Amino acid sequence: FARPLGIEADLIGPNETRALFPLLEFDGFKAALHTRLDGYTDPAQTTNLFAKAARAGGAEIYRHTRVGAIARTPGGEWRIATDKGAITVDIVVNAAGFWGPEISAMVGGYLPILAMEHEYLVTEAAPELAQFTRELPVFRDMNVPTYVRQERQGLLVACYESHPVFWGLDGIPRDFGQELFAPDIERAAPQLEMTSEMIPALKRLGVKAVVNGPTGRTADLKPCIGPAHNLPNYYAFCGAVGGFLQCGFGKYLAEWILEGESSIDLSPVDVRRFGDYATRDYAVAKVSVGHAYSNPVYYPHGEPSRGRPARAAPLYSTLKAKGAVFGVDNGWEVPNWFQDQAAGAPDDGTRFERQDWVARAAAEARAAREAAAILDLSSRGKFELDGEGAAGYLADICASALPEPGRAARALFLNTAGRIASVMTIERLGDERFYLTGEAASEQRDWDFLVRGKRANGAGAARVANATARDGILWLAGPKALDILAAVGLHADGEWRTGEVRAGALGYGQVRARRVDDVIAPAFEIVHAIETQLALHAALHAAGAAHGLADIGRRAYDALRIEAGIGRWGTDFAADRTPEEAGLASLLASGKSAPPVTAKSGTFAPKSGASSPKSGTLVRLAIAPNGAEIDPWGHEPVYAGERQVGVVTSGSFAPTLSGSIALAFLDGNEAGTGDLEVEILGVRRKARVVARA
């Protein structure tokens, strides 16, 4: 994964590892990852240098100044009340670390960030270090987990214990500044013992100092960065652990503020990835699984075990009883696949090779292709836009042509750089009534896009409402899908064209069924009131029993999606790609290739010469089998000979091919390259471009 990011990293054997870190006396390892440019910096000196440069650039820095309140002024500015007077500003950035939730509360929000104790020790001088002509590299073993580095002539040792010790859950003490906590080395005793077995010099060295202080962790251990939901010109920058992250993200957040969007995709750390479900109790449950590095091994398709279920549709218990194994998407429980209940416990997923669930997901994909399948897509973000001026407003911010009443169409929304801010399905319910559906992971971001654009354009009486929790969506697809819809009274004689929407009573409620023909055809999305979902699901199964209707999960759907060459926003492309690069230029309306004026996060015009990512083309790759049943899952490098020419964005087993399938971005004009290879877990496998996505 390091190679596509331009990081120098090599797997080295035990002998070379010990040559680089001679204090290591341990035989129980096969290899180490050597990142040559890895290092550290003094945080105090670095911070002061940044402050000096900021002042030289015109910044004013107020130290020892307590913030008491933050409020919007009638003119749209922010007034910050401090113990040294009020300050009025255009933009606020909450970079308060583990104080972040308290700052957020001043404007009516909550950040799922917790303070926890983190401890390290510094040893006395080690005589062995005087023999070395260069400083030792930083040593990490995330199986312990531990890290050790040289601190002058001694060693600095930090271990991450199994159970975090939270602090300040009910609020950070008002008089707390830069104090430290009492040492508590005993709680990390097992990890320290393992570290000492690997580096026996630690057993001989006395402890000179123990440092125990608070550090902040977000609910998913990723930073919270970007524009806050529904708060104009208010940004978050919290939870970035490590100066290397803070410096890099600082650059991209500055782009976001000044240019309307960052030059790289920051959706994985966008603060708006969390909804209202992300409370303090949710954050505690998520982080209680261990410290930041207590689960060091990253397996393909891993799912979190804590903080669940945060959001669940009514079908959750029904599908679970049928053997559904669930994953999480923006807090929602989503069925991934259905296990064979007679086969016992499901695959725990802790291996890199093709996992047991692939056979089950492949069978689900076959059911969709050969008969009919149903999938709960209620986790998708759903929005209503209506009222006077709604059509004109949506036409202004959308880069695609609006559908006619009674029809639905996939549509593009662009940011100020002309890159993809969102992809949503627009269903037109009337002249001034619209229903928009987007990815679950981008619910808060899409909602913000619609609301911010309305505010910037003065869209009159037009109303934007979030209907995600109110409505459900069931996806019904396969060659028998039309027969099932006919059996329940939604389809009579006559053609049901792609994009056409039909309404009627089904089960115990009114529904709208729209033909989408996405990963296979025919395919339909049935929008319904969430409280009628159980009856609707039962009615469809009663009608579909004679047609082989099967419940399927997201893994089968994704395999079909990748086989069909359909990219997903936030996975295969995001705000760092243009419609042309993502293969979505056909969705652009005539004259809509220029960015809309309302898609910005803030109120500043983009600067000329704004940075842009490297151009590329999204393609579909068929990957030949090589005897090893290992599928790509994203971030693997793509090669043409010895040249790295791209990177995989998502991958899967291929339900209809004897091998694997992937979507990948290839640089420049490499889409026409014949012989390619994808490196999966260090092994290159032959690949060919099947078609542009």
Side-chain angles (χ1 to χ4, degrees):
F1 287 0
R3 292 192 183 101
L5 298 173
I7 298 172
E8 290 187 33
D10 300 295
L11 284 172
I12 60 176
N15 291 337
E16 189 176 353
T17 302
R18 295 189 191 95
L20 289 169
F21 201 97
L23 298 182
L24 179 64
E25 300 180 25
F26 176 59
D27 295 325
F29 70 100
K30 299 285 187 182
L33 182 71
H34 184 207
T35 50
R36 301 178 185 278
L37 299 181
D38 187 20
Y40 62 91
T41 182
D42 180 272
Q45 291 187 42
T46 305
T47 301
N48 285 327
L49 284 169
F50 270 113
K52 181 179 179 181
R55 288 191 179 101
E60 296 179 1
I61 298 175
Y62 303 92
R63 302 186 66 218
H64 308 293
T65 304
R66 183 184 298 276
V67 174
I70 304 174
R72 290 293 300 283
T73 69
E77 298 171 310
W78 291 100
R79 185 178 186 275
I80 304 173
T82 79
D83 58 353
K84 297 179 181 177
I87 304 171
T88 301
V89 298
D90 294 316
I91 289 174
V92 170
V93 179
N94 179 356
F98 54 75
W99 282 278
E102 301 193 17
I103 298 295
S104 182
M106 294 179 184
V107 292
Y110 175 72
L111 283 174
I113 296 174
L114 305 172
M116 63 174 62
E117 296 187 22
H118 178 53
E119 195 168 40
Y120 66 86
L121 62 86
V122 180
T123 72
E124 297 174 337
E128 298 93 332
L129 295 178
Q131 307 170 24
F132 305 146
T133 58
R134 65 176 185 276
E135 187 171 335
L136 294 176
V138 180
F139 171 83
R140 297 180 180 89
D141 187 342
M142 293 295 98
N143 295 293
V144 174
T146 184
Y147 70 83
V148 180
R149 69 168 174 82
Q150 187 170 339
E151 176 71 3
R152 297 185 180 178
Q153 291 304 305
L155 296 174
L156 184 152
V157 184
C159 296
Y160 294 93
E161 60 270 15
S162 301
H163 301 287
V165 178
F166 296 114
W167 175 78
L169 287 180
D170 296 321
I172 308 300
R174 186 171 177 80
D175 59 349
F176 182 81
Q178 297 179 331
E179 295 84 358
L180 296 174
F181 305 139
D184 187 11
I185 285 293
E186 290 303 314
R187 69 171 185 250
Q191 290 80 14
L192 285 169
E193 184 176 344
M194 285 188 282
T195 305
S196 298
E197 290 299 320
M198 292 188 291
I199 304 175
L202 292 172
K203 298 179 182 180
R204 304 189 296 270
L205 298 174
V207 175
K208 185 171 68 173
V210 177
V211 178
N212 185 21
T215 185
R217 294 288 189 272
T218 65
D220 61 1
L221 306 179
K222 298 176 185 176
C224 284
I225 296 173
H229 174 56
N230 205 26
L231 293 172
N233 293 328
Y234 182 101
Y235 296 79
F237 187 13
C238 298
V241 181
F244 58 98
L245 286 176
Q246 291 161 349
C247 294
F249 282 131
K251 169 189 174 180
Y252 294 116
L253 179 60
E255 291 178 351
W256 210 335
I257 293 171
L258 296 176
E259 301 171 8
E261 197 69 58
S262 60
S263 59
I264 66 169
D265 174 28
L266 289 184
S267 59
V269 297
D270 191 327
V271 64
R272 294 167 297 180
R273 69 187 181 275
F274 293 114
D276 292 341
Y277 62 89
T279 62
R280 189 197 73 175
D281 289 347
Y282 170 84
V284 169
K286 290 279 289 181
V287 180
S288 290
V289 72
H291 244 304
Y293 303 106
S294 291
N295 296 301
V297 181
Y298 174 79
Y299 291 104
H301 311 293
E303 296 284 357
S305 61
R306 300 294 181 94
R308 301 175 59 181
R311 308 167 87 182
L315 272 179
Y316 174 71
S317 297
T318 299
L319 298 181
K320 193 171 186 178
K322 288 188 169 189
V325 178
F326 287 87
V328 180
D329 201 350
N330 197 1
W332 287 95
E333 295 292 318
V334 292
N336 274 340
W337 53 280
F338 288 78
Q339 61 175 311
D340 183 351
Q341 293 177 290
D347 178 9
D348 65 2
T350 53
R351 66 171 185 258
F352 293 102
E353 296 79 9
R354 186 172 290 172
Q355 300 176 30
D356 293 345
W357 59 260
V358 167
R360 300 296 302 168
E364 294 169 16
R366 283 195 302 273
R369 286 195 180 279
E370 297 172 3
I374 189 169
L375 169 64
D376 182 11
L377 291 180
S378 299
S379 60
R380 292 256 175 104
K382 313 170 205 71
F383 312 94
E384 288 180 334
L385 174 64
D386 56 28
E388 182 182 353
Y393 161 58
L394 191 55
D396 284 344
I397 67 168
C398 182
S400 303
L402 301 185
E404 296 296 320
R407 296 191 61 80
R410 200 177 185 210
L412 280 173
F413 296 83
L414 305 182
N415 60 29
T416 48
R419 302 196 287 266
I420 304 171
S422 182
V423 179
M424 290 189 270
T425 297
I426 299 177
E427 182 183 344
R428 191 163 191 170
L429 307 179
D431 289 341
E432 299 280 7
R433 294 181 59 219
F434 300 88
Y435 192 91
L436 292 84
T437 307
E439 295 292 341
S442 58
E443 175 196 342
Q444 289 78 229
R445 184 181 176 117
D446 287 342
W447 188 11
D448 241 27
F449 186 96
L450 296 171
V451 172
R452 287 175 187 267
K454 178 179 179 295
R455 185 185 296 119
N457 275 276
R463 179 189 69 99
V464 178
N466 189 337
T468 302
R470 188 197 68 190
D471 297 342
I473 296 179
L474 294 182
W475 180 80
L476 177 70
K480 298 296 184 180
L482 279 168
D483 295 332
I484 296 171
L485 291 175
V488 297
L490 281 182
H491 175 51
D493 294 337
E495 182 183 6
W496 191 333
R497 297 171 298 165
T498 302
E500 184 181 346
V501 181
R502 297 187 182 182
L506 179 52
Y508 298 149
Q510 297 293 318
V511 304
R512 297 192 314 276
R514 57 199 187 204
R515 182 163 179 174
V516 293
D517 289 359
D518 50 359
V519 303
I520 58 174
F524 303 85
E525 291 177 351
I526 304 173
V527 182
H528 55 278
I530 198 77
E531 67 268 18
T532 67
Q533 187 177 72
L534 290 175
L536 171 62
H537 184 259
L540 289 170
H541 265 287
H547 301 289
L549 179 63
D551 287 293
I552 71 168
R554 185 172 55 173
R555 301 274 169 85
Y557 181 90
D558 268 347
L560 293 168
R561 174 184 67 81
I562 297 171
E563 270 200 347
I566 299 175
R568 171 183 289 156
W569 195 96
T571 301
D572 301 295
F573 55 82
D576 57 342
R577 294 293 180 179
T578 66
E580 292 78 11
E581 290 173 319
L584 298 175
S586 62
L587 297 182
L588 288 170
S590 177
K592 283 292 187 81
S593 58
V597 297
T598 58
K600 302 178 71 275
S601 298
T603 58
F604 292 97
K607 289 188 173 184
S608 59
S611 54
S612 60
K614 191 175 182 179
S615 63
T617 304
L618 186 65
V619 301
R620 183 174 46 160
L621 295 177
I623 302 172
N626 67 344
E629 291 191 329
I630 302 175
D631 300 306
W633 66 92
H635 306 293
E636 294 88 357
V638 181
Y639 292 93
E642 293 306 311
R643 291 184 302 116
Q644 184 181 314
V645 297
V647 62
V648 169
T649 56
S650 60
S652 172
F653 70 97
T656 60
L657 301 174
S658 58
S660 305
I661 196 80
L663 293 180
F665 263 108
L666 299 187
D667 298 337
N669 297 316
E670 298 290 348
T673 302
D675 297 327
L676 297 173
E677 291 180 309
V678 176
E679 183 179 344
I680 307 174
L681 295 177
V683 178
R684 293 193 183 185
R685 294 171 58 180
K686 293 187 180 300
R688 59 185 175 85
V689 176
V690 178
R692 182 180 173 126

